[in-house]
Amino acid sequence: MRLSARVDYALRAVAELAASAGDGKLVTADRLAAAQQIPPKFLESILLQLRRGGIVVAQRGPEGGYRLARPAAEISLAEIIRVIDGPLANVRGQRPEELGYHGAASALQDVWIALRANERLILETVTIEDVVTGELPERVRDLVADPRAWV
């Protein structure tokens, strides 16, 4: 699986917003950029996508900034990835079920669909709250505990 810089930055920015949510204040884009070492101009365009996708809410003005549109426990990593980059798994820009493999390669379609299912299993169950608290689901902890996962 390959995640774009945009997705990485979006996930980090949303996690930072979630961590700051306790004080009820809005967080400026500059503060988010500095906290996560994200290029500010790049972050502005990412925040716009996140706002349009219903992940964050923005308020303009001297007291303006960003906050999560809903609780961090209700925002999955998969949702953020989809807002920024589209579907979780595709091959040459197509969904796996739309592909037409033939002959010796026909089983590849099943592999791509299984890969997407596994991605969903993790990314749809891990929430931003899980990331911020470090309390990841047991399935994720089990996978990370396997030394083979690190190579």
Side-chain angles (χ1 to χ4, degrees), residues 8-19:
D8 180 51
Y9 291 161
L11 292 168
R12 290 165 45 195
V14 172
E16 193 67 36
L17 280 174

Side-chain angles (χ1 to χ4, degrees), residues 48-57 68-70 75 79 83:
L48 178 62
Q49 276 186 277
L50 291 170
R51 185 179 61 77
R52 288 179 179 159
I55 305 291
V56 302
V57 174
L68 297 180
R70 57 188 188 280
I75 302 172
E79 183 180 0
V83 165

Side-chain angles (χ1 to χ4, degrees), residues 27-109:
V27 181
T28 66
D30 287 340
R31 184 169 151 211
L32 288 172
Q36 288 297 319
Q37 300 177 343
I38 300 171
K41 290 289 185 193
F42 199 25
L43 180 58
E44 286 285 353
S45 69
I46 292 168
L47 289 168
L48 178 62
Q49 276 186 277
L50 291 170
R51 185 179 61 77
R52 288 179 179 159
I55 305 291
V56 302
V57 174
Q59 179 179 319
R60 292 187 171 173
E63 300 295 318
Y66 296 87
R67 67 175 171 77
L68 297 180
R70 57 188 188 280
E74 296 176 12
I75 302 172
S76 72
L77 301 187
E79 183 180 0
I80 295 167
I81 293 168
R82 286 184 185 112
V83 165
I84 298 298
D85 272 357
L88 290 180
N90 64 57
V91 179
R92 301 181 327 255
Q94 292 183 296
R95 298 170 59 89
E97 62 274 13
E98 297 170 352
L99 299 171
Y101 289 106
H102 306 283
S106 62
L108 280 176
Q109 184 176 35

